[in-house]
């Protein structure tokens, strides 16, 4: 009888020890292999051969054979924010534009901005007289976005063509002003005259600053040269003169008035001379 009771006591003790071990192992398993993932989190599991990601909200059970795991916060983008994501296996990049929560895929990383050191980047907002030009480093293509619009972002391989800020203002021309614009890809020149806003195209640049038109009247004329033919001509017709695409203003000439006792001699391009004298009124 005593032996039987001792046997029962040993059985109870063994059962209690086994239960304690089971509970401890269960707690350790739940601590290390069960993850509570919130709706703004991701569980990254790095297994023996591959990486997997589980999006919240969920209760995730980890496999026994894993290198490491972590629960990370999802990047949240507001209305005027974006980020650049790169897959380190394929090398492909993509742009994620807010407002949204960015759930990364396996082997994705968010690139930091070199100028700010932040993963979030600010999008551009263009006014009606603003524009921005992007150049794609992978293809060389140039893209132009004109105002008025908000949340303008570059592509994954695009950078600003015009400086750090990127935005440029259109040239504002009054009715008596003009500017020449050249397409650097084709070499063609066009003349833009006011009143208007002048926006540059993908490969265009201004040829100097804006100029003022010449008012031709009874006492003012303009000597103009055609750069395509090299010919010169004098404009004397009354107008607000603006040169065409191939023309340039050589000289603005004022009328020379002679007194009754004055005279002048003019030599032409053929080296012939003509003498002018004032006409005496009777």
């Amino acid at each position: 009888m005593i032996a039987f009771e001792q046997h029962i006591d040993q059985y109870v003790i063994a059962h209690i020890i086994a239960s304690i071990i089971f509970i401890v192992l269960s707690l350790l398993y739940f601590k290390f292999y069960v993850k509570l993932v919130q709706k703004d989190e991701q569980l990254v599991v790095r297994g023996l051969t591959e990486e997997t990601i589980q999006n919240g909200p969920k209760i995730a059970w980890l496999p026994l054979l894993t290198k490491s795991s972590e629960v990370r916060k999802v990047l949240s983008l507001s209305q005027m924010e974006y980020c650049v994501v790169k897959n380190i296996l394929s090398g492909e990049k993509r742009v994620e534009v807010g407002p949204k929560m960015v759930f990364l895929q396996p082997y994705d990383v968010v690139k930091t901005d070199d100028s700010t050191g932040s993963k979030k980047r600010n999008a551009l907002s263009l006014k009606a007289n603003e524009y921005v030009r992007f150049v794609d480093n992978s293809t060389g293509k140039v893209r132009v976005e004109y105002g008025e619009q908000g949340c303008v972002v570059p592509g994954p391989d695009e950078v600003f063509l015009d400086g750090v800020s990127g935005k440029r203002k259109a040239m504002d021309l009054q009715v008596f002003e003009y500017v020449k614009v050249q397409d650097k890809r084709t070499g063609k020149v066009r003349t833009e005259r006011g009143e208007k806003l002048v926006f540059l195209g993908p490969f265009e640049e201004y040829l100097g600053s804006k100029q003022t038109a010449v008012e031709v009247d009874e006492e003012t004329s303009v000597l103009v040269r055609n750069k395509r033919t090299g010919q010169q001509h004098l404009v004397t017709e009354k107008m607000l003169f603006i040169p065409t695409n191939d023309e340039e203003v050589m000289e603005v000439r004022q009328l020379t008035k002679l007194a009754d006792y004055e005279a002048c001699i003019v030599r032409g391009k053929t080296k012939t001379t003509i003498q002018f004298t004032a006409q005496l009124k009777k």
Side-chain angles (χ1 to χ4, degrees):
M1 187 67 180
I2 296 175
F4 178 75
E5 291 178 353
Q6 290 177 347
H7 179 73
I8 294 297
D9 292 339
Q10 291 177 355
Y11 175 79
V12 172
I13 293 173
H15 181 72
I16 293 174
I17 293 174
S19 299
I20 293 174
I21 293 174
F22 176 78
I23 293 172
V24 171
L25 291 178
S26 298
L27 291 175
L28 290 175
Y29 180 83
F30 275 94
K31 179 179 180 181
F32 293 104
Y33 290 94
V34 178
K35 301 294 183 180
L36 300 178
V37 187
Q38 304 298 326
K39 63 180 180 180
D40 62 340
E41 294 177 335
Q42 287 184 303
L43 172 63
V44 183
V45 181
R46 298 177 182 89
L48 298 179
T49 59
E50 64 179 359
E51 177 180 289
T52 59
I53 291 181
Q54 301 182 47
N55 298 330
K58 70 180 305 183
I59 299 176
W61 301 78
L62 297 179
L64 293 177
L65 298 178
T66 59
K67 290 181 179 179
S68 63
S69 65
E70 64 171 329
V71 176
R72 65 187 180 192
K73 286 288 186 180
V74 174
L75 186 65
S76 178
L77 299 176
S78 63
Q79 178 69 37
M80 292 295 293
E81 292 179 332
Y82 72 99
C83 69
V84 179
V85 180
K86 180 180 179 179
N87 187 282
I88 60 176
L89 284 187
S90 64
E92 295 181 354
K93 298 178 183 178
R94 71 179 188 273
V95 175
E96 298 284 354
V97 183
K100 69 183 305 185
M101 299 176 68
V102 182
F103 289 90
L104 300 179
Q105 301 299 317
Y107 305 104
D108 280 352
V109 293
V110 180
K111 303 290 289 182
T112 58
D113 191 343
D114 294 335
S115 60
T116 63
S118 174
K119 293 182 178 181
K120 298 181 182 181
R121 311 180 187 212
N122 294 323
L124 295 178
S125 178
L126 299 177
K127 299 177 183 178
N129 64 335
E130 293 177 333
Y131 65 100
V132 62
R133 298 191 292 185
F134 301 104
V135 57
D136 193 314
N137 286 333
S138 62
T139 63
K141 292 183 178 180
V142 179
R143 176 171 64 96
V144 186
E145 294 290 341
Y146 302 98
E148 174 176 359
Q149 60 174 311
C151 200
V152 178
V153 302
D157 295 306
E158 289 182 334
V159 295
F160 294 128
L161 182 63
D162 303 299
V164 178
S165 62
K167 287 196 297 186
R168 295 186 65 173
K169 286 190 175 183
M171 184 175 288
D172 181 16
L173 296 180
Q174 303 298 321
V175 67
F176 54 85
E177 293 176 328
Y178 69 94
V179 68
K180 288 185 177 291
V181 180
Q182 184 179 37
D183 191 319
K184 298 297 183 179
R185 181 177 53 180
T186 62
K188 292 184 177 181
V189 177
R190 62 184 173 92
T191 302
E192 295 286 354
R193 60 186 299 168
E195 301 172 323
K196 70 184 306 184
L197 290 174
V198 180
F199 294 90
L200 294 179
F203 301 97
E204 292 182 333
E205 296 295 340
Y206 297 116
L207 291 180
S209 58
K210 57 185 177 182
Q211 303 293 321
T212 302
V214 180
E215 186 176 352
V216 180
D217 52 26
E218 294 88 347
E219 298 183 357
T220 306
S221 61
V222 182
L223 181 62
V224 180
R225 183 175 75 92
N226 189 299
K227 293 189 289 186
R228 187 177 296 274
T229 63
Q231 297 296 316
Q232 297 182 6
H233 67 279
L234 191 66
V235 178
T236 58
E237 181 183 356
K238 294 181 180 180
M239 67 171 69
L240 194 62
F241 177 76
I242 292 178
T244 61
N245 297 342
D246 297 323
E247 292 180 337
E248 65 174 345
V249 176
M250 300 293 294
E251 183 183 358
V252 178
R253 295 180 176 178
Q254 299 297 324
L255 178 67
T256 301
K257 297 181 179 181
L258 298 177
D260 295 345
Y261 54 86
E262 291 179 327
C264 68
I265 298 176
V266 179
R267 175 175 293 179
K269 63 179 181 179
T270 58
K271 295 184 179 181
T272 58
T273 58
I274 303 175
Q275 181 174 346
F276 293 91
T277 59
Q279 296 182 355
L280 298 177
K281 294 183 180 179
K282 296 183 180 180

